[in-house]
Amino acid sequence: YYKETCFLSIFQSDISICRFKKKVPKPVAIRGDDITVKSYKVESRITSRFCHTTVKSSVVNSGPNAQSIGFNVQIPKRAFITNFTMNVNGITFVGSVKEKTVARSLYAQARARGKAAGLVRANSQDMETFKTEVHVPPGSKIEFELHYQEMMQRKLGFYEHSLYLQPGRLVPQFQVDVYIYEPSGIASVETPNTLGEHFSGMAKLTSSKHKAHVVFKPSLQQQRKCENCTTSAIDGIFTVKYDVLRDSNAGELHVSDGHFVHFFAPANLSPLPKNIVFAIDVSGSMWGVKMKQTVEAMQTILDDLTMDDYFSIVDFNHNVRCWSEELVPGSTIQVAEAKKYIQNIKPNGGTNINEALMRAVQMLVKASNQGMIDPRSVSMIMLVSDGDPTVGEIKLSAIQKNVKKVMREEFSLFSLGIGFDVDYDFLERIAMENRGVAQRIYTSHDASDQIRRFYSQVSSPLLRKITVQFPENSVSDVTQNHFDKYFSGSELVVAGKVLPSESTTLNSFTTASADRLDLSLQTEADYLELDAELAQQQHAFTGFARQMWAYITVNQLLAERSLAPTAGQKRKITQRILTLAVEHQFVTPLTALLVESEEAKERLLADSPKDPKQGCCAVTDVCLCVFCVTVENDPHFIVHLPKNNMDICFNIDSEPGHILNLVSDPGAGVVVNGQLVGSKRVGVEEKEKVNTYFGTVSVFYQPDGIRVSVSTDRIDLTDGRNNHSFTWGATADITQDRVKVSIVKDSKVMVTVDDKITVMVLLHRVWKKHPTHVDFLGLYIPNNNQYSSEAHGLIGQFGQEPEVRVFNLHQGADPRKKEATMEVKGNKLVVTRGWQKDYRQDSKRGSDVFCWFIHNSGKGFIDGHYTNYIVPRLDSFLPL
């Protein structure tokens, strides 16, 4: 999966940022070489189904060099991060949630002063990853602490709390504590051994009527993969499952801290009959494993049908077919015929989602009009698809509108999106708008189980038309209290604020329709009783009701916002979300976590991710990065060495017309060259040296025979047969084979080759009547480019960072600049502390980058002499 990575560097009071995309392995909790993880502790406090989790770790850089230390925490997708703090060598960073635009503005101000860093979350299967890296000197002590909150959701009769544990190394003090307090009582608690047989029986459980405590505390020896292993066997999800006691079907009403929460999960009711149409995508993209797993899941799902249920199957690609034009009862014979039909499906062709859904709705409407459907039954469509529409109506908003128009109020639509090619946002919107839910199915070995589990959650409807109400003037700001259906094993939750009253109790009234029954239920709760009980509990989360109300409200508003029909309504909903999220400190898609040092001199920023199809996080520039090589006028090279935490500068003293090889990578088939132009010679003696600049930069990809040539006049893309020319006057995105070119009007060009190597070229315009200056190009190449082992060139050689040592710091000939001795590549060089300009943030004035300047055209720092890098043509590789 893809992840945006942000690095925090703290070294001699310097802090810097790098943002880029790359493919990375599954993250471990603590990452770094020669580090000592003193402790890793996780504590979850669950009170009345609301959970507050804290993850803490203490780390020491025990190596001899400065290095990056990573802290990664995978959290459930439904959770909101509420805070992150970090202490680095006594400097404490504390977080606060702000409106995203405000947080980014404060963050940008800090970054402009060279004081900035980044924290992000990225998507994985069922979790999201909170990730940060800190670059620190040897001996540094770092303490990380992350907080997040979530509401436990009841599925198939249980609440399941999951903690992802992957320390990546042995930890002397490793401990997980889960505290549960349920005022109504705990019916059952279990800790399934999801970490593997190695840890069988190591989770210890103690419980009483209202409380439970699960502790997982393996010793250092128990953590080892084998008796003499130095690697940890802890790698997976630690799970606690529980359910609560329910005295009656009226539900539980909890009042605390001026808020109430009503839980409704009745049992011992007969299931309502259901009418279901399965709409299954059988387009060409479903061929292979996806179709095999869908067929496997459908075999089990069809077996679940009873004689009281009615069903049919619509399968669609560019055409739409029906196994049966009418709904049929779920008899043994009909189920067997349906199984046989599904097994014989051969995926091919396009995807006509609109027509398939229209046909499915027509079936339900026809059955209803003909009196086949029991008025108390539940009618639903289950859509299974892995891609966007390609045939018929392909505009998603039009499909959404068409479906809403024909769906009756008593029908529901459930969407299953397989993989990441499907527009999951669309599936979620169309399901929510039609009284259903959506679920992403990950194309792993257990995809068929994921489909079956989802169906199990909606296969047994017990109630219809549920409404939870309260006496007039007793409550306010109530969350959703009308529900279309209630499914066995789930739970409906309503929350709100309690208004001042002379009464000491709050009442709730619930009405619903069951199988041949109309229910009216009532329950009550004392205003003060629960708060008194919570005050006596050591590990209870006393603010649960207030936070749960905010959590439910924000999630419901986010859903409303995605369906808002007008921009005005969307703005109003957005403002309500912002107000609540800031007040209750939730990191949402509209807020960000600003983390500041106590003096607010250093700032960090945490944003929430987008859907994986669009990438995990917003990236303003793939190579907006100081971990890269910068080439500007004359041309000045700035090479950032992240492992050594320093910048190195040197100039190349060449002549106009010369072509310098920057990257020569025959293994990847990529070469980057730049041709120099000279300043104007007005008033300059012929023998006197002129300044040189890059006037043309060329990126050549040999396997596809494609060359992108960027000059100050235009951008040319040549494939050997055709030449396509683009001006700087328009923004454009061009893709040819494995080469992508993005042009930002009058600003820059980004060239990406095979999704592995990126080059950014900045355009610098000067006043045309200037006596000496000419237009020129700046060049930025990130160090995270994935070169082959054969890469070289003035820039390519630094893909493998050299060891550098700077010592003997002393006053230089210029009193403003210090000098030192640098040891690199077996050479001892006299270097000068100076600065160069970086124009990526400010194209006119630039920003200063402090660096060690190497004299004589980089001699001793680059391999060989600079003249070895002069090549004859813009597409020339260096000689082997």
Side-chain angles (χ1 to χ4, degrees):
Y1 53 95
Y2 281 89
K3 189 170 289 153
E4 184 185 48
T5 308
C6 295
F7 290 85
L8 167 64
S9 173
I10 300 180
F11 189 80
Q12 295 177 347
S13 299
D14 289 332
I15 300 182
S16 56
I17 182 171
C18 170
R19 300 179 68 176
F20 55 85
K21 269 189 175 182
K22 64 176 181 178
K23 252 187 179 177
V24 294
K26 184 170 64 174
V28 295
I30 306 295
R31 187 158 55 84
D33 301 320
D34 293 328
I35 65 172
T36 301
V37 181
K38 296 287 188 180
S39 64
Y40 190 85
K41 297 183 178 182
V42 183
E43 180 185 278
S44 291
R45 298 187 180 195
I46 304 172
T47 300
S48 293
R49 286 77 139 180
F50 199 73
C51 180
H52 184 111
T53 298
T54 305
V55 183
K56 299 180 182 179
S57 186
S58 178
V59 186
V60 176
N61 179 7
S62 48
N65 301 312
Q67 63 165 313
S68 292
I69 296 175
F71 176 66
N72 312 306
V73 180
Q74 292 207 44
I75 69 173
K77 285 181 182 285
R78 62 180 180 269
F80 287 147
I81 289 174
T82 56
N83 206 351
F84 173 70
T85 61
M86 181 170 60
N87 187 292
V88 183
N89 294 330
I91 300 175
T92 301
F93 295 83
V94 180
S96 61
V97 175
K98 299 182 183 297
E99 182 180 340
K100 185 168 285 190
T101 54
V102 173
R104 284 178 172 172
S105 175
L106 291 169
Y107 172 62
Q109 292 171 24
R111 192 172 70 181
R113 295 194 299 270
K115 301 284 184 182
L119 301 171
V120 300
R121 291 191 294 172
N123 291 310
S124 59
Q125 181 163 321
D126 294 319
M127 314 286 274
E128 289 173 348
T129 303
F130 177 93
K131 179 181 177 64
T132 185
E133 284 196 2
V134 191
H135 198 83
V136 293
S140 295
K141 297 178 181 178
I142 311 101
E143 293 179 352
F144 302 102
E145 184 171 319
L146 178 71
H147 298 255
Y148 62 89
Q149 295 178 355
E150 60 183 313
M151 185 177 81
M152 297 290 97
Q153 294 184 332
R154 190 169 184 256
K155 295 181 179 179
L156 302 176
F158 286 96
Y159 306 98
E160 187 171 296
H161 181 51
S162 298
L163 297 168
Y164 191 90
L165 306 176
Q166 192 188 31
R169 62 193 68 241
L170 301 174
V171 182
Q173 298 179 49
F174 184 94
Q175 185 165 337
V176 176
D177 289 284
V178 178
Y179 298 96
I180 303 171
Y181 177 74
E182 288 291 346
S184 302
I186 298 173
S188 64
V189 187
E190 58 181 276
T191 55
N193 188 23
T194 50
L195 285 174
E197 288 302 313
H198 186 94
F199 297 104
S200 179
M202 287 192 194
K204 304 302 180 185
L205 167 66
T206 56
S207 63
S208 59
K209 182 180 178 181
H210 298 283
K211 294 188 289 186
H213 177 210
V214 178
V215 61
F216 176 61
K217 190 179 178 182
S219 66
L220 206 62
Q221 186 60 35
Q222 289 171 328
Q223 294 173 41
R224 300 181 192 274
K225 279 190 175 181
C226 62
E227 187 175 350
N228 298 315
C229 289
T230 57
T231 52
S232 175
I234 303 174
D235 181 5
I237 294 177
F238 181 78
T239 304
V240 177
K241 295 174 68 175
Y242 79 98
D243 199 17
V244 302
L245 292 171
R246 293 176 178 83
D247 293 335
S248 72
N249 280 341
E252 306 160 58
L253 186 58
H254 297 173
V255 179
S256 174
D257 193 22
H259 293 73
F260 75 87
V261 185
H262 180 90
F263 301 98
F264 185 64
N268 303 318
L269 296 170
S270 299
L272 297 168
K274 58 184 177 289
N275 317 294
I276 183 165
V277 180
F278 300 98
I280 302 173
D281 184 348
V282 296
S283 61
S285 59
M286 286 286 289
W287 187 87
V289 174
K290 290 180 186 176
M291 195 70 236
K292 179 175 180 290
Q293 293 177 329
T294 301
V295 169
E296 286 176 2
M298 285 301 299
Q299 303 296 308
T300 305
I301 288 170
L302 290 170
D303 280 336
D304 178 71
L305 297 172
T306 70
M307 277 295 295
D308 292 329
D309 298 326
Y310 281 78
F311 79 104
S312 188
I313 299 166
V314 172
D315 60 295
F316 64 96
N317 44 31
H318 49 286
N319 296 315
V320 177
R321 292 168 297 277
C322 300
W323 166 66
S324 170
E325 293 290 343
E326 296 182 344
L327 297 183
V328 299
S331 66
T332 304
I333 294 174
Q334 298 287 16
V335 166
E337 289 296 321
K339 283 182 174 182
K340 193 182 301 180
Y341 178 80
I342 287 176
Q343 282 179 324
N344 292 327
I345 289 174
K346 298 289 187 280
N348 66 83
T351 308
N352 192 342
I353 292 178
N354 185 75
E355 184 60 30
L357 290 176
M358 292 298 102
R359 191 77 64 88
V361 175
Q362 287 166 12
M363 278 191 189
L364 293 176
V365 170
K366 182 179 179 182
S368 179
N369 291 343
Q370 292 178 346
M372 293 174 58
I373 291 179
D374 185 329
R376 287 182 177 269
S377 65
V378 170
S379 298
M380 62 181 79
I381 297 168
M382 182 172 286
L383 170 66
V384 181
S385 181
D386 78 328
D388 291 343
T390 60
V391 178
E393 179 58 74
I394 61 173
K395 191 176 180 182
L396 299 182
S397 59
I399 297 173
Q400 189 176 335
K401 186 177 180 180
N402 292 343
V403 173
K404 187 178 180 181
K405 185 177 180 180
V406 298
M407 283 282 281
R408 291 187 176 178
E409 189 177 335
E410 65 267 26
F411 300 165
S412 295
L413 172 62
F414 296 91
S415 303
L416 291 173
I418 300 181
F420 287 94
D421 294 327
V422 68
D423 190 320
Y424 183 71
D425 282 347
F426 162 69
L427 292 184
E428 196 167 44
R429 284 196 307 273
I430 202 171
M432 284 192 302
E433 197 168 42
N434 294 285
R435 297 160 296 283
V437 294
Q439 174 83 42
R440 189 189 291 282
I441 302 299
Y442 299 91
T443 51
S444 58
H445 65 281
D446 69 340
S448 57
D449 288 335
Q450 294 175 53
I451 297 172
R452 282 193 289 264
R453 281 197 299 271
F454 177 79
Y455 174 77
S456 296
Q457 292 169 30
V458 299
S459 64
S460 188
L462 299 183
L463 296 172
R464 295 174 61 244
K465 298 180 179 177
I466 306 100
T467 300
V468 181
Q469 293 179 306
F470 303 87
E472 190 176 357
N473 298 323
S474 64
V475 297
S476 68
D477 300 281
V478 179
T479 61
Q480 179 186 350
N481 65 333
H482 298 279
F483 302 90
D484 189 60
K485 299 174 185 66
Y486 166 73
F487 295 99
S488 177
S490 67
E491 184 171 64
L492 303 179
V493 183
V494 179
K497 296 179 179 179
V498 178
L499 294 176
S501 170
E502 293 180 1
S503 174
T504 58
T505 59
L506 176 67
N507 292 277
S508 72
F509 306 91
T510 304
T511 57
S513 295
D515 184 26
R516 300 178 179 84
L517 292 174
D518 287 326
L519 302 177
S520 181
L521 307 165
Q522 180 179 346
T523 189
E524 65 179 24
D526 186 274
Y527 279 9
L528 305 175
E529 186 178 343
L530 181 54
D531 280 337
E533 291 178 9
L534 291 173
Q536 298 175 28
Q537 305 303 320
Q538 183 180 356
H539 298 290
F541 177 30
T542 53
F544 84 91
R546 179 177 181 272
Q547 289 300 97
M548 183 179 279
W549 167 78
Y551 177 94
I552 297 171
T553 304
V554 168
N555 276 297
Q556 289 179 359
L557 287 172
L558 287 169
E560 287 178 30
R561 184 177 182 269
S562 70
L563 299 173
T566 67
Q569 287 177 282
K570 192 170 186 176
R571 280 194 297 271
K572 288 181 180 178
I573 296 170
T574 298
Q575 192 54 53
R576 290 180 63 195
I577 295 170
L578 290 173
T579 301
L580 275 174
V582 171
E583 180 184 351
H584 294 267
Q585 294 293 285
F586 291 149
V587 177
T588 70
L590 304 177
T591 52
L593 183 66
L594 187 71
V595 186
E596 302 177 282
S597 63
E598 291 172 331
E599 301 83 11
K601 292 181 178 178
E602 283 107 24
R603 289 175 172 145
L604 302 81
L605 186 71
D607 281 352
S608 60
K610 296 181 179 179
D611 185 78
K613 189 182 180 188
Q614 283 78 42
C616 73
C617 311
V619 182
T620 54
D621 253 332
V622 170
C623 57
L624 180 62
C625 170
V626 297
F627 282 33
C628 58
V629 180
T630 303
V631 188
E632 282 291 352
N633 51 311
D634 205 20
H636 304 309
F637 287 74
I638 309 172
V639 179
H640 183 77
L641 303 177
K643 291 181 182 177
N644 294 277
N645 193 43
M646 66 176 67
D647 293 292
I648 309 296
C649 300
F650 60 92
N651 297 344
I652 294 296
D653 187 17
S654 196
E655 298 177 10
H658 279 176
I659 299 174
L660 298 178
N661 175 257
L662 306 173
V663 176
S664 178
D665 189 353
V670 175
V671 64
V672 182
N673 292 325
Q675 186 165 29
L676 301 176
V677 295
S679 58
K680 298 172 186 175
R681 289 182 174 270
V682 179
V684 178
E685 293 292 333
E686 195 66 31
K687 293 183 180 179
E688 193 173 333
K689 180 187 177 298
V690 297
N691 290 332
T692 53
Y693 313 85
F694 277 124
T696 303
V697 173
S698 169
V699 180
F700 177 53
Y701 186 43
Q702 191 177 48
D704 291 348
I706 296 173
R707 188 177 87 185
V708 180
S709 182
V710 182
S711 70
T712 56
D713 297 324
R714 64 181 187 272
I715 300 97
D716 293 320
L717 191 150
T718 308
D719 61 8
R721 291 170 295 178
N722 303 302
N723 182 70
H724 306 281
S725 188
F726 303 88
T727 71
W728 281 100
T731 295
D733 290 297
I734 309 107
T735 301
Q736 183 165 350
D737 298 330
R738 287 173 285 182
V739 177
K740 299 175 185 176
V741 182
S742 294
I743 305 169
V744 178
K745 180 181 177 181
D746 294 328
S747 176
K748 62 191 171 189
V749 173
M750 191 88 73
V751 182
T752 304
V753 177
D754 199 24
D755 288 328
K756 294 179 179 178
I757 296 174
T758 298
V759 177
M760 183 168 75
V761 182
L762 260 62
L763 174 66
H764 294 276
R765 294 286 193 205
V766 299
W767 181 42
K768 292 190 180 298
K769 295 183 180 181
H770 195 282
T772 58
H773 292 176
V774 295
D775 293 346
F776 68 95
L777 303 174
L779 183 71
Y780 299 82
I781 301 182
N783 273 4
N784 65 304
N785 275 347
Q786 299 174 43
Y787 302 121
S788 78
S789 58
E790 301 174 50
H792 207 264
L794 282 169
I795 293 174
Q797 63 187 288
F798 298 108
Q800 300 294 323
E801 182 174 334
E803 289 293 329
V804 177
R805 189 167 73 95
V806 177
F807 57 98
N808 189 27
L809 185 67
H810 59 274
Q811 195 66 48
D814 185 337
R816 296 173 301 168
K817 298 180 180 179
K818 293 184 180 291
E819 290 185 350
T821 302
M822 176 182 289
E823 197 172 76
V824 58
K825 295 183 179 181
N827 303 312
K828 287 187 177 180
L829 313 174
V830 175
V831 293
T832 304
R833 188 67 169 167
W835 60 89
Q836 298 287 11
K837 290 289 186 183
D838 181 338
Y839 291 94
R840 284 166 298 168
Q841 300 299 312
D842 186 338
S843 60
K844 293 183 179 179
R845 294 180 295 273
S847 57
D848 291 333
V849 175
F850 289 89
C851 57
W852 289 109
F853 186 80
I854 296 178
H855 305 274
N856 301 320
S857 294
K859 185 178 180 181
F861 182 66
I862 62 173
D863 295 335
H865 194 268
Y866 86 87
T867 54
N868 298 337
Y869 299 89
I870 297 174
V871 292
R873 301 188 313 276
L874 281 169
D875 58 0
S876 295
F877 286 82
L878 282 178
L880 296 175

